[in-house]
Amino acid sequence: MHPMLNIAVRAAHHAGDIIMRSSENASSIKVDRKGKNDFVTEVDRFAEREIISILRNAYPDHGILAEESGHHDGDDYTWIIDPLDGTTNFLHGFPQFSVSIALKHKGRLEQAVIYDPLRQETFTATRGGGAMLGNRRIRVTNQKSMKGSLLGTGFPFKNQQHLEAYLGMFSSLFKESAGIRRAGSAALDLAYVAAGRLDGFWEIGLQPWDMAAGVLLIREAGGIVTDFDNGGTYLESGNLIAANTKMRQIIHNAIRPHMTDALLPGGS
Ligand code: IPD
Ligand code: CA
Ligand code: CA
């Protein structure tokens, strides 16, 4: 394993331990509201501090973009961190959440880890080195049509101005696919696309820390990720489609009629 990935995995596992220990006393966890339907707990903050301390200890010059503490300047390397993806699930004791850490170097994603502390599943990728679940190589599915496919998504609960467009997309895909799951941790959903557990995924309004590690995992698992205009601006727009090449095109074609200008690159 690449030494930088090794450190990232260690940091993700430590954060996962914090999350699991805290879930035993969930009722006493202090919660703050960041915005509409957007919560942060002391667990998110504590897990993030632990991740940053492990990464900074190994690589003191690297920069950081972390959900709860923002930007910390550094050299050409930037760690992109979501210490707890699926906070709403965590708060409700709904067992689906993860830790997501990616490393970008000069604008290119190089390393990724997504850790599910409940199932103790560790998804990793290094650019050019493939994607793994534990010690096993993972691949996206070979699904070639909507018929029989299982898709993942996230609801635009923080971006409700897009609800109508989203419901149009949902309706088109719902009618054609075998099922759609909204599990509540976008990072884990993307890891599941990489692992062939989902045939595709789309969501509106994600943040870089929700996506970065999952994007590299999917690429290294033979899949493809785009924005809503077949381009590469998803880290900026937050609007993303991920699948194998064929399924991504099929999903894109199905949701295209429902796209508003605001959902296309340059929109807001
Ligand atoms: C959220 C989860 C969720 C997605 C939201 C994200 P958080 O992250 O990934 O699945 O639908 O858009 O914000 O806030 O739990 O880290
Ligand atoms: Ca998140
Ligand atoms: Ca989070």
Side-chain angles (χ1 to χ4, degrees), residues 2 26 112 126 142 148-149 154 156 168 178 185 218 240:
H2 189 285
T126 293
N142 287 321
S149 66
S185 165
I218 290 174
L240 153 162

Side-chain angles (χ1 to χ4, degrees), residues 2 5 103 105 108-112 125-130 216 219-220:
H2 189 285
L5 182 58
L103 178 64
H105 181 230
R108 210 146 62 167
L109 290 165
E110 294 288 340
Q111 312 291 344
T126 293
R127 186 173 64 82
L216 183 62
R219 278 190 205 144
E220 290 298 323

Side-chain angles (χ1 to χ4, degrees), residues 34 39 44 67-68 81-87 98 209-210:
K34 292 195 278 188
F39 302 99
D44 299 62
E67 177 171 13
E68 310 307 343
I81 303 164
D82 192 334
L84 172 49
D85 186 55
T87 297
S98 62
W209 43 80
D210 301 315

Side-chain angles (χ1 to χ4, degrees), residues 196-212:
R197 294 174 179 176
L198 289 171
D199 296 304
F201 175 83
W202 90 104
E203 185 160 347
I204 291 171
L206 288 172
Q207 297 294 330
W209 43 80
D210 301 315
M211 294 177 264

